[in-house]
Amino acid sequence: MPAPYVELHCHSSFSFLDGASSPLELATAAAELGYPALGLVDHDGIWGSMEFAVSCKGAGVRPITGTELTVSAAGRLFHLTMLVEDETGYRNLCKVVSKGFTDGFHRKPRVDYSTLSKHSEGLIALTACLGGEVPQAIIRGKGPSLALVKIDEYLKIFGRENLFLEIQ
């Protein structure tokens, strides 16, 4: 029997122009589709996570808290999907998100590798959508060699057990 499907990269209406459904609507749809869990990763914050957690509990779906961070690297901005693994991860995600807003980037919050390295415990990283560093390395014609370099950088931050390639 195949493992049940779990969507880990879901945006709610808190991600303007990327998601349209409320956390309640997402939890309800996940339950109707038979998902045992659902990951909510709104942009640069955990805006709908409390409503999402309450809605998932009522729908019998395990909520997975996360965010799609904006990471500043090599003078460009990229996406990185982050999921909370445990209580330490939740604390670290809150620190990372807050740092993104408080380090002088109020109009477009972002974090760097240093911030991620300091607060990576308890977090699971996915290489993100087409806006991620790994997909961009491939799309921009830099080839698999640059993508492998980026994967190696993320492995150093998150470890082999907590980094996953996101396929869309």
Side-chain angles (χ1 to χ4, degrees), residues 17-77:
L17 298 178
D18 250 0
S21 301
S22 71
L24 173 60
E25 291 168 326
L26 293 172
T28 302
E32 289 171 358
L33 292 167
Y35 292 6
L38 181 65
L40 181 65
V41 293
D42 285 318
H43 286 285
D44 297 310
I46 53 172
W47 318 114
S49 62
M50 183 56 73
E51 180 183 344
F52 178 65
V54 170
S55 298
C56 281
K57 184 176 181 180
V61 175
R62 180 178 161 234
I64 301 172
T65 300
T67 189
E68 188 172 48
L69 284 174
T70 301
V71 177
S72 177
R76 298 195 56 228
L77 300 179

Side-chain angles (χ1 to χ4, degrees), residues 4-11 35-41 52 64 83 166 168:
Y5 178 76
V6 175
E7 176 63 50
L8 297 175
H9 191 133
C10 183
H11 295 295
Y35 292 6
L38 181 65
L40 181 65
V41 293
F52 178 65
I64 301 172
L83 302 172
E166 189 169 341
Q168 294 189 4

